[in-house]
Amino acid sequence: MAEKKEKFYITTPIYYTNGMPHIGHTYTTIVADTLRRYKKMRGYDVVMTTGTDEHGVNVERAAKKADIPESEFVARMAEAWKKLWDDLGLTADEFVRTTDLKHVRAVQWLFKLCKENGYVYKGHYTGLYCIYDNAYVSEPKPGNLCPDCDRPLETVTEENYFFKLSAFQKPLLDFYKKFPDFIQPETRRNEIISFVEGGLKDLSITRTTIRWGIPVPGEEPHVFYVWFDALTAYLSAVGGPDYEKRGMWPADVHLVGKDIIRFHTVYWPAFLMAAMLPLPKQVWAHGWFLMDAAKMSKSKGNVVLPRPIVNMLGMDALRYFLLREVVFGQDGNFSYDALVTRYNSDLANGLGNLASRTAAMLEKNFAGVVPKPGARLPQDDALAKEAQNAIGEVLERYDRFEFARALEAIWAVIAAADKYLTTEQPWALGEGPDEQSRKATILWTTAELLRIVSALAHPVLPESTGKIWALLGGQAVNISATPLDGLRWGQLAPGTKLGRFQALFPRVEKTEAVERIEAMANEELNPTQPPVAAPAPTTAGAAATPAPAAAAPEKIGIEDFTKVEMRVGQIKTAERIVGADKLLKLTVDIGTEIRQICAGIAQYYEPEALIGRKVAVVVNLAPRKLRGVESNGMIIAASVGPEGRPVLAGFHEDVEVGSRLK
Ligand code: ME8
């Protein structure tokens, strides 16, 4: 453990504001949040920065399209990004907007330092420019297309300030050599070294063709190139010119995707060298989450959104999946199918099941109090050893950003505990003193193991492991403040009264879960549809409201509301659907016709009890298939409690079938 509180400064990229976050952005932010929690549990004083990159042509154009001033456009977008991160429990210590005054000052200050030190000069530049990536392109694809995003390039000539990047070839190569860990993973490091060895051209760092940017003082209409602007956000977040006071700079790690590694490992250190400022210690470039083997992008229509997943399965499930499924640093394919499969196998059947079994057995056999273990047998010691050994291994894996391996090691211990219970069969033991003592040993051992794995998994699964610790230690123990360095086998005190058991990962039916996630994603991606579809059960308390679209106000007008046609319907028949334990197939009289509608209420309503009941029905929803059964409309229900128990909306007076709800 750090002797005194050492600092640790983590950043995510400063994301563009011309769209809303998808699973790719969420991935980097989840990694940063995991690291933030982990480092805190290792005793560090941690700061994590994220933010929004709000200047440039793209924003200018998007604001124009939305017919609002740029400042208003970016303010709305920044608010929406921030809200999403807050809703997902990914609250950073610093959220920097590149339109913040403190940031503007920091950029101007950095430029001044570079200029004073002789690394900035004025010249002209003509080149092909990608407005989507905000970069000049020296080697376009045939047809003048951007080699990165395949979109058309534009020819731009302008007077610019240039940064003498060429002067930094040797200093950068020396730096990479002296600090071999600066660029991670290794493959990226090699790529960058060969790129720099190939020679560096000076870089234009101001623009006169763009209006929406940070002005170069006394040099209007020059504004700063977005990358000179955005990279500086890492520094402006922790004090800018006064960075020494805050004591956080240099960054310990910049987390980025591999798309922007060159900006972070070549330009950024060169700017800082020119200004004679301390350099970041590490840049970690992870791979991409791909959808259908292509990088996600809104224009391709293959984005995956975080909110629908979180609404259906909970935030911990998304965090676990993203970190467990793909080796950090490599590309990986995203699939809903794999997500739900992992959820059921590792979370519902794995950790969730172990916790609920243990809690139930302790409740039944020891009145909800942690028993004093009796004599230990070799198998108890073996399990203890496995859990104790996992502590060291998992911490080492986290330290190396091997999140998938860390989780694998934790889940190996969970599997060992499952096996132990199956072999030891505490439930088969009788009431005699010897058997009671054996039962106490087994259940204490299992509970202690659960405590250890929860602490180890906490950086990745903050919510569910918090619930497990609250169960094992009453409410008094704050898991996130528990030092991992002090974690040892044997610390679970007999006599501890268990807290209330809270459900962790209710098992879901795969096809239905995927359909629900996809339906919610459709609604979020297509904001022209009215936001009325009943959200799926919220399993982890995350907010279920869809994010506001770029230019759409958060409140809808009456004209939007009136697009939704709701009528009083009467249920005529109701039956279960074979193979879908949550769905009921209903036929509903809506006055003008009888409709077939599927409703996810089978676990809470007996089909027979529904016949004749009057319900509120959305009748103008496009028909869709649920588990292969056509559903033509939607029954309105409240979603109650953390489990999202559906409660059908109804009427206190007799109402005529077919009446419109207004
Ligand atoms: O580049 N898989 O912002 P940006 C994994 N504003 N990660 C992904 C991803 C995917 N499919 N898609 C995006 C910018 N990301 C600049 C940054 S920093 C000073 C300025 C993540 O909104 C990944 O971290 O395009 C990637 O680097 C970042 O989002 C790009 O975000």
Side-chain angles (χ1 to χ4, degrees), residues 30-294:
I30 284 177
V31 172
D33 182 82
T34 298
L35 212 52
R36 173 177 182 265
R37 292 175 193 270
Y38 171 68
K39 287 289 177 182
K40 282 191 176 196
M41 290 176 86
R42 295 299 302 269
Y44 286 82
D45 179 16
V46 188
V47 166
M48 169 190 151
T49 286
T50 190
T52 40
D53 187 352
E54 304 184 0
H55 290 122
V57 180
N58 284 332
V59 168
E60 238 174 69
R61 293 186 182 178
K64 197 161 179 203
K65 199 166 157 207
D67 199 22
I68 49 174
E70 289 94 349
S71 55
E72 196 179 323
F73 179 84
V74 293
R76 280 188 199 177
M77 290 305 287
E79 202 40 51
W81 276 74
K82 205 163 176 217
K83 180 167 185 326
L84 179 78
W85 296 145
D86 285 346
D87 288 350
L88 298 183
L90 299 170
T91 306
D93 304 286
E94 295 293 336
F95 187 96
V96 55
R97 297 181 51 192
T98 58
T99 51
D100 286 340
L101 190 61
K102 70 169 186 194
H103 172 72
V104 169
R105 297 256 155 84
V107 172
Q108 294 172 339
W109 162 75
L110 184 69
F111 177 75
K112 189 166 159 271
L113 293 180
C114 293
K115 200 164 169 231
E116 280 169 3
N117 293 337
Y119 292 106
V120 168
Y121 64 93
K122 212 179 220 176
H124 277 90
Y125 189 87
T126 299
L128 285 170
Y129 189 76
C130 176
I131 57 150
Y132 302 97
D133 299 334
N134 287 304
Y136 280 105
V137 171
S138 51
E139 289 167 26
K141 271 187 160 177
N144 275 353
L145 296 180
C146 172
D148 284 335
C149 70
D150 277 334
R151 288 184 273 204
L153 298 167
E154 294 181 11
T155 303
V156 172
T157 297
E158 54 179 329
E159 184 191 66
N160 283 172
Y161 274 103
F162 282 82
F163 175 78
K164 274 194 203 165
L165 187 62
S166 53
F168 290 93
Q169 183 185 30
K170 184 158 185 319
L172 282 170
L173 290 171
D174 290 347
F175 176 69
Y176 304 147
K177 203 164 178 186
K178 187 160 172 211
F179 299 100
D181 290 339
F182 174 64
I183 305 171
Q184 290 291 324
E186 193 68 17
T187 44
R188 303 276 161 244
R189 173 180 145 78
N190 298 337
E191 267 170 40
I192 292 297
I193 291 178
S194 23
F195 170 75
V196 175
E197 279 172 348
L200 294 174
K201 286 201 191 112
D202 289 351
L203 182 73
S204 109
I205 53 162
T206 70
R207 299 280 184 270
T208 49
T209 44
I210 299 172
R211 200 177 40 79
W212 181 243
I214 297 179
V216 182
E219 297 284 348
E220 291 81 3
H222 282 269
V223 299
F224 287 102
Y225 167 49
V226 283
W227 279 99
F228 190 85
D229 166 349
L231 288 161
T232 311
Y234 300 138
L235 191 47
S236 55
V238 289
D242 293 326
Y243 71 90
E244 276 167 317
K245 249 192 241 160
R246 177 83 180 262
M248 276 294 157
W249 189 259
D252 290 272
V253 62
H254 291 311
L255 295 168
V256 297
K258 65 180 184 182
D259 46 335
I260 54 177
I261 186 151
R262 203 177 281 182
F263 299 102
H264 284 79
T265 57
V266 182
Y267 298 1
W268 181 225
F271 297 157
L272 292 167
M273 281 178 184
M276 297 209 266
L277 291 170
L279 269 52
K281 294 194 184 145
Q282 191 167 68
V283 176
W284 232 107
H286 62 69
W288 286 337
F289 264 101
L290 308 171
M291 189 69 177
D292 308 325

Side-chain angles (χ1 to χ4, degrees), residues 163-467:
F163 175 78
K164 274 194 203 165
L165 187 62
S166 53
F168 290 93
Q169 183 185 30
K170 184 158 185 319
L172 282 170
L173 290 171
D174 290 347
F175 176 69
Y176 304 147
K177 203 164 178 186
K178 187 160 172 211
F179 299 100
D181 290 339
F182 174 64
I183 305 171
Q184 290 291 324
E186 193 68 17
T187 44
R188 303 276 161 244
R189 173 180 145 78
N190 298 337
E191 267 170 40
I192 292 297
I193 291 178
S194 23
F195 170 75
V196 175
E197 279 172 348
L200 294 174
K201 286 201 191 112
D202 289 351
L203 182 73
S204 109
I205 53 162
T206 70
R207 299 280 184 270
T208 49
T209 44
I210 299 172
R211 200 177 40 79
W212 181 243
I214 297 179
V216 182
E219 297 284 348
E220 291 81 3
H222 282 269
V223 299
F224 287 102
Y225 167 49
V226 283
W227 279 99
F228 190 85
D229 166 349
L231 288 161
T232 311
Y234 300 138
L235 191 47
S236 55
V238 289
D242 293 326
Y243 71 90
E244 276 167 317
K245 249 192 241 160
R246 177 83 180 262
M248 276 294 157
W249 189 259
D252 290 272
V253 62
H254 291 311
L255 295 168
V256 297
K258 65 180 184 182
D259 46 335
I260 54 177
I261 186 151
R262 203 177 281 182
F263 299 102
H264 284 79
T265 57
V266 182
Y267 298 1
W268 181 225
F271 297 157
L272 292 167
M273 281 178 184
M276 297 209 266
L277 291 170
L279 269 52
K281 294 194 184 145
Q282 191 167 68
V283 176
W284 232 107
H286 62 69
W288 286 337
F289 264 101
L290 308 171
M291 189 69 177
D292 308 325
K295 184 167 184 247
M296 277 173 225
S297 86
K298 213 169 175 182
S299 57
K300 284 192 210 134
N302 64 347
V303 292
V304 176
L305 299 177
R307 238 183 248 266
I309 295 171
V310 171
N311 289 346
M312 183 71 210
L313 303 174
M315 185 57 184
D316 278 6
L318 178 61
R319 297 171 70 105
Y320 177 80
F321 177 73
L322 293 179
L323 293 179
R324 175 72 181 80
E325 189 72 4
V326 172
V327 171
F328 192 62
Q330 294 178 7
D331 288 350
N333 216 46
F334 187 92
S335 108
Y336 287 127
D337 216 75
L339 165 75
V340 179
T341 302
R342 264 212 190 278
Y343 170 87
N344 276 335
S345 67
D346 296 11
L347 297 177
N349 295 348
L351 180 61
N353 187 39
L354 181 65
S356 67
R357 277 165 102 188
T358 309
M361 286 190 284
L362 285 171
E363 195 55 56
K364 180 160 178 257
N365 295 289
F366 297 100
V369 174
V370 175
K372 189 170 183 320
R376 293 196 313 265
L377 297 180
Q379 57 268 41
D380 310 324
D381 287 337
L383 192 67
K385 196 162 170 226
E386 200 165 335
Q388 177 64 45
N389 289 347
I391 299 174
E393 176 178 356
V394 170
L395 300 195
E396 230 177 274
R397 299 284 185 196
Y398 278 134
D399 282 337
R400 286 195 245 136
F401 293 27
E402 292 172 358
F403 303 106
R405 284 298 185 79
L407 292 170
E408 213 173 271
I410 297 170
W411 258 255
V413 178
I414 294 174
D418 278 340
K419 204 163 146 211
Y420 170 81
L421 281 177
T422 309
T423 319
E424 299 306 311
Q425 302 205 343
W427 49 86
L429 294 169
E431 298 300 317
D434 287 353
E435 288 182 307
Q436 270 300 95
S437 161
R438 181 68 199 134
K439 220 186 277 179
T441 310
I442 298 168
L443 291 185
W444 179 88
T445 304
T446 317
E448 172 59 347
L449 178 139
L450 199 54
R451 190 186 69 90
I452 301 254
V453 295
S454 299
L456 291 175
H458 182 67
V460 180
L461 302 173
E463 189 169 326
S464 44
T465 54
K467 285 182 183 171

Side-chain angles (χ1 to χ4, degrees), residues 491-561:
Q491 291 164 325
L492 178 64
T496 308
K497 174 92 188 87
L498 293 195
R500 188 172 62 87
F501 178 73
Q502 305 169 67
L504 298 173
F505 303 106
R507 209 161 309 174
V508 296
E509 201 281 315
K510 183 153 77 178
T511 317
E512 191 202 336
V514 172
E515 279 173 358
R516 279 184 172 216
I517 296 172
E518 285 180 337
M520 283 188 274
N522 260 342
E523 279 156 20
E524 197 175 322
L525 283 170
N526 184 359
T528 53
Q529 284 183 12
V532 291
T538 303
T539 54
T545 40
E554 278 203 50
K555 293 206 162 86
I556 59 166
I558 187 75
E559 66 288 353
D560 284 328
F561 179 70

